[in-house]
Amino acid sequence: MRIAFDEDRVTVQAPAKLNLFLELLARRADGYHDLETLMVAVDLCDQLSLQSRDDGELHLAADWAATIPCHTSLGDVPAGHDNIVVQALERLRERAGVSLGANIRLRKRIPSAAGLGGASSDAAAALLGANVLWDLRWTTAELSLLAAELGSDVPFFLGASAAVCRGRGEQIEPLPSLPRLDVVIVRPPEGLSTPAVYGRCQVADSPASVDPAVAAWRRGDIAGLARHMTNRLEPAAEALSPWIARLRAAFAEQNCYGHQMSGSGTSYFGLCRHALHARQVASRLRARDIGYVVCTRTISLLAPEQGDQQAA
Ligand code: C5P
């Protein structure tokens, strides 16, 4: 996460993620699934800014950035306690035993119900930002425990730019950052609810291993990585939304290294060959009117330990 200070304000850029590999290992008794996923952060960011309040109030002002087209039917940004940012700050404050509040400004760019981790990233940004704002000095490991209570994907966003995530997603094995990957992401006009997709998914008899994809990642072999891309949630999402098959067909014509759905959908992405190729793919897909098209790239994040808030 990139964190900046401006007088009394802390501003955090909260990136989206893509799942380059996602396999389900088992259905658990607690309703979750054990999984193995290779996640990368991309330079499509929500912006969260925080100012401390002495009266203990947590006041959230949240909206969509003007760049998000309204036809994407993203709905309202949750307000007040319904927003995971407020829930994150309430829990952090309670555990840390502080009585301070905050004015919170959230400018959303990451489409919701999209499998891009927007809300999870916002929650992680809130924890990292308030840790600085309220001078709590929690370590990343301490923040991770609280992050996992808020959602399976939240711990990833505390530090890693690329990682294998296991358990229900909260066990993070950071990977070295690769040179940038140019990607195009499309969020079709409809989203999907994560529990609905997980509720329909099937665990394979012999789940695929993430190891070949990780080995290709470590070699910097994008073509090899693309050959091992998979998302076990895609068939379930495809049964719930006609957009997944449409997007697959559209990306199949774009000469990408590989393409698939991210997370529980409905966003779909392609790994492009270089920045110009990504711009060309984005422009061709925009002409088809299949949703909100984003041309972006992977980013590097540094784990910000207390006292080291500068991240790349
Ligand atoms: O942890 P999070 O709140 O993001 O999970 C949302 C829902 O997604 C869960 O209630 C569960 O239905 C499903 N899920 C799952 N296995 C995971 C992560 C999420 O079944 N590893």
Side-chain angles (χ1 to χ4, degrees), residues 177-182 217 220 222 298:
S177 295
L178 266 189
R180 82 180 211 179
L181 296 181
D182 294 288
W217 174 271
I222 310 305
T298 51

Side-chain angles (χ1 to χ4, degrees), residues 18 44 72 111 113-116 183-190 243-244 246-248 250-251 254 260-262 265-270 281-282 284-286 288-296:
L18 295 173
L44 166 66
T72 320
L116 298 174
V183 295
V184 172
I185 306 167
V186 181
R187 169 27 168 101
E190 292 166 13
W243 285 102
I244 307 305
R246 283 180 208 157
L247 290 170
R248 185 183 305 117
F251 271 95
Q254 304 305 326
Q260 68 181 22
M261 191 181 82
S262 184
T266 49
S267 321
Y268 201 100
F269 67 94
V281 169
R284 287 195 291 262
L285 293 178
R286 278 187 192 115
R288 291 184 175 208
D289 202 19
I290 50 175
Y292 176 45
V293 178
V294 178
C295 185
T296 185

Side-chain angles (χ1 to χ4, degrees), residues 24 28 31-35 120 148 150-153 167-169 194-196 198-199 201:
L24 302 176
R28 301 175 8 165
Y32 284 87
H33 291 76
D34 280 323
L35 52 74
S120 301
L150 292 160
S152 306
D153 287 343
R168 63 182 173 89
T194 300
Y198 272 98
C201 67

